[in-house]
Amino acid sequence: MKAAIFLLLAAAPLSAQGEFWGELKAGRYGVGFRALYQSDTARWYDPDYFSPGGQLAKKPRPIFIAVWYPAPADEGKAMIHRDYFRAITLDSGAPEFAPRLRKFTRDQACHYMMGKDYDDLTDEQRGRWEGLISTPVFAVMNAPPVDGRFPVVIYHPGLGGTFEDNAVACEFLASHGYVVISSAYQAADSSALEIDGDLETSFADVASLLRFAATLPFADASKVAAMGHSYGAQAMLGWRAQPNSRSTP
């Protein structure tokens, strides 16, 4: 497997003025977006959860997967940014985890876009927030992929980040012929959803994403690049330095 590294050590904040893309120019493709859940049965999540019968239930780790990919141009209606949060709960594969992740993602996005938590917004600020998340994005939910197989880019957010915090970069790359995959990378401790800087957790999640990429008929999992913001960039460098990263999946 060929591998490359992209580093995003800083990111400009989203602006309420105009579209998020600014001066960027799309490639030849439209962009499709889809989200789903898989389970990593090799790792336990919620280890202290008790089932109604009182037996200790060792549940597999839920892996949220977001995929941007090349799609036909002008295929369907563009999403708005709010749809990225909605996508977290569209799939019922993780009914306990998904609502927590959706709220966490919205609250984190609000904190970074507005400078305060959602529950602390004034009425005027809430109106501005609604305007931001109602802004059209470039991707189309569940658009059909174009024919062909495309290189894979794995994206890792930084500490406190969310799967869609560099959605513009993900959409941009997909429009130029890449399959971009992101995830929540939640801490191994199920009591919190923040990315906590544990490299082993990040490495294992990246391995899960690459195994998933290998199942996509439009993805060429023999050609993989890694992209990250802040801690995510460090995690991707650390992953690439692992002796087995080239052979994953």
Side-chain angles (χ1 to χ4, degrees):
M1 178 183 72
K2 297 179 181 179
I5 297 287
F6 294 111
L7 302 184
L8 293 179
L9 294 176
L14 296 177
S15 169
Q17 304 300 315
E19 297 183 356
F20 295 151
W21 274 51
E23 299 298 320
L24 289 175
K25 302 297 183 183
R28 61 182 291 193
Y29 302 107
V31 175
F33 174 79
R34 62 181 64 168
L36 68 155
Y37 290 88
Q38 292 201 333
S39 296
D40 187 341
T41 57
R43 291 185 286 167
W44 294 341
Y45 196 73
D46 288 342
D48 296 325
Y49 171 76
F50 283 87
S51 65
Q55 298 297 314
L56 183 63
K58 297 173 181 177
K59 300 185 295 184
R61 178 178 174 84
I63 306 294
F64 173 75
I65 302 176
V67 187
W68 293 263
Y69 52 91
D74 302 318
E75 177 70 35
K77 183 179 179 181
M79 298 161 47
I80 61 175
H81 194 82
R82 185 200 310 273
D83 291 330
Y84 281 130
F85 307 145
R86 178 172 172 263
I88 295 173
T89 49
L90 284 178
D91 189 290
S92 60
E96 296 173 350
F97 175 71
R100 293 176 60 210
L101 181 62
R102 178 172 180 170
K103 182 179 185 303
F104 169 80
T105 304
R106 182 206 65 179
D107 289 348
Q108 289 294 98
C110 184
H111 179 80
Y112 284 106
M113 289 184 187
M114 301 298 299
K116 58 171 63 176
D117 295 340
Y118 178 80
D119 291 338
D120 295 331
L121 296 178
T122 65
D123 290 343
E124 186 271 336
Q125 290 167 338
R126 194 155 295 186
R128 289 167 52 202
W129 163 252
E130 290 297 325
L132 276 169
I133 63 173
S134 297
T135 301
V137 299
F138 195 72
V140 174
M141 184 77 74
N142 294 324
V146 296
D147 292 335
R149 298 177 70 232
F150 301 91
V152 175
V153 178
I154 303 296
Y155 173 65
H156 195 310
L159 299 180
T162 55
F163 84 91
E164 75 347 308
D165 62 9
N166 265 306
V168 169
C170 298
E171 293 172 351
F172 177 78
L173 287 170
S175 79
H176 285 274
Y178 294 88
V179 176
V180 186
I181 305 178
S182 183
S183 188
Y185 299 97
Q186 74 271 15
D189 178 358
S190 62
S191 65
L193 294 179
E194 288 87 355
I195 300 171
D196 67 355
D198 178 59
L199 287 173
E200 293 303 321
T201 296
S202 292
F203 296 164
D205 282 350
V206 169
S208 292
L209 298 181
L210 288 173
R211 287 192 294 270
F212 168 76
T215 70
L216 295 174
F218 52 83
D220 184 351
S222 70
K223 299 176 181 176
V224 175
M227 177 175 75
H229 168 243
S230 190
Y231 162 75
Q234 299 174 46
M236 293 293 89
L237 283 171
W239 165 75
R240 186 62 189 89
Q242 299 300 298
N244 63 346
S245 66
R246 182 179 295 274
S247 61
T248 304

